Amino acid sequence: VNSRGGLPVRSFFQRAYMGAEYVIHIFDYAAFNHAERTGTQFFAAKITKAYNIRNASYIIHTVGPVYRGVAEDAYLLAACYRNSLDLALAYRCRSIAFPCISTGAYGYPIEKAAKVSLLAAAQWLDAHPDVVMKIYFCCFNDREMAAYQKLAI
């Protein structure tokens, strides 16, 4: 829904080409995003059905922090990963895949974000020694991949 209360043109194309269930998913996320941005829980995690997305039962949404260059940024970003992992566990997910949260429009430097994400996942796994969950970090370009590979050495 745009600021005038109408549907964006893009949503009509999505409905035509991707199906009504996908559009519902988009609006679920938009509503969550708006609620979180106007509240105080920027790092909360919410879950929705995956609808027609293959190989997934759920989609876990989280709103990462806008990078400001302060210590709190890392805490909030790590909370996004921890809360998402907690939610995945609550829904008995056997795996979870993460994009590089906050590294796009929110300006979090990929090198710092990769370190935070890996550390948060490792700490979560250490705190849940009886849990077996595959955690994937999805890289959509060479720069993201290089940041993770650098940390793996």
Side-chain angles (χ1 to χ4, degrees), residues 57-148:
S57 298
Y58 304 103
I59 303 296
I60 297 176
H61 309 275
T62 188
V63 180
V66 174
Y67 184 73
R68 297 171 294 146
V70 297
E72 185 184 31
D73 294 340
Y75 172 80
L76 292 175
L77 183 58
C80 291
Y81 289 97
R82 285 190 306 270
N83 292 337
S84 296
L85 287 161
D86 287 342
L87 195 53
L89 178 61
Y91 277 78
R92 298 182 179 166
C93 298
R94 295 184 311 267
S95 65
I96 187 168
F98 288 108
C100 298
I101 299 171
S102 286
T103 61
Y106 294 165
Y108 213 110
I110 184 59
E111 296 78 12
K112 292 180 180 183
K115 184 176 181 180
V116 169
S117 67
L118 290 175
L119 186 59
Q123 289 172 341
W124 188 89
L125 288 169
D126 286 345
H128 299 85
D130 297 334
V131 174
V132 176
M133 186 181 303
K134 293 180 182 178
I135 302 173
Y136 299 94
F137 294 94
C138 301
C139 299
F140 295 100
N141 59 48
D142 292 340
R143 189 167 164 252
E144 291 174 354
M145 180 63 91
Y148 279 94

